[in-house]
Amino acid sequence: MHARDPLGRAVVYAIDMLRQGAGIAEVSERAGLPFDDQIGPHLRHIIEHYEALLSGIDLGVVDYDNRSRDRQVERDPVIAVARCHALADGLTQRLDRPWPETIAVAFDGGVAGDDRFVSGSTPLRELLFVAGHAVHHYALLRLVLKQRGLNLPESIGKAAATIRYEREQNA
């Protein structure tokens, strides 16, 4: 796979989002902000979605709801950063291996969470999902950090389509 084909570009995008997460953890730690209050739980949630994708891709079933919910990740920014880097490395290494054309995604649903669903998908779609999901959480973290006097770079927590739109409007 080449980094210029759609799947390769999606892997690069997903890795970039992991690097942003590691950067948020590092910045908040340097600023002395309480990591386990809101920052860590958001990053843990993102990390575990990426882990579910990577572990499920070769099994043929990705289950985003069956996560470890590892509280150490949300309490310790060093652990969160290390997991982000490990996932980025895992995705980079995964580029050299064949990807299945289709996969199944299992998830819980229903108001009480009692329903189990399985839907067909593709690795490309799921890479775009975890990256976009991370952007959504980074937007929430941007607000949390701003309230605590810490401003993130403008592109963090902003959807790719919004960045492109703003660039076109300013051209």
Side-chain angles (χ1 to χ4, degrees):
M1 174 180 316
H2 196 277
R4 281 183 258 177
D5 67 34
L7 191 58
R9 290 194 322 267
V11 169
V12 170
Y13 175 44
I15 289 170
D16 287 344
M17 291 304 102
L18 285 166
R19 290 186 178 136
Q20 284 187 7
I24 290 170
E26 291 166 343
V27 165
S28 65
E29 182 184 29
R30 281 194 303 273
L33 298 178
F35 188 76
D36 61 349
D37 179 31
Q38 293 186 36
I39 302 160
H42 280 282
L43 289 177
R44 177 198 50 79
H45 182 76
I46 293 163
I47 288 165
E48 289 178 352
H49 273 71
Y50 272 86
E51 289 172 343
L53 176 59
L54 264 177
S55 67
I57 203 85
D58 288 321
L59 298 174
V61 179
V62 176
D63 186 348
Y64 295 116
D65 292 328
N66 188 18
R67 300 186 313 273
S68 64
R69 292 169 173 83
D70 184 350
R71 300 295 179 222
Q72 291 230 310
V73 174
E74 69 185 45
R75 290 183 185 124
D76 188 338
V78 173
I79 293 173
V81 168
R83 294 272 279 274
C84 285
H85 290 306
L87 285 163
D89 291 345
L91 283 169
T92 300
Q93 293 168 6
R94 189 70 182 73
L95 274 172
D96 296 330
R97 296 179 32 219
W99 293 67
E101 287 191 33
T102 62
I103 55 175
V105 179
F107 53 96
D108 297 330
V111 175
D114 295 331
D115 294 322
R116 186 76 170 153
F117 297 96
V118 178
S119 177
S121 189
T122 66
L124 174 61
R125 192 265 177 232
E126 296 311 310
L127 283 162
L128 295 173
F129 164 71
V130 294
H133 177 248
V135 170
H136 164 76
H137 282 275
Y138 297 159
L140 297 171
L141 286 175
R142 168 183 280 295
L143 296 173
V144 168
L145 294 173
K146 186 174 184 177
Q147 289 173 342
R148 295 177 179 175
L150 190 61
N151 291 315
L152 296 173
E154 190 64 30
S155 63
I156 294 178
K158 195 175 278 192
T162 302
I163 293 170
R164 185 186 70 244
Y165 173 80
E166 290 173 349
R167 183 178 61 239
E168 290 169 355
Q169 294 303 305
N170 293 327

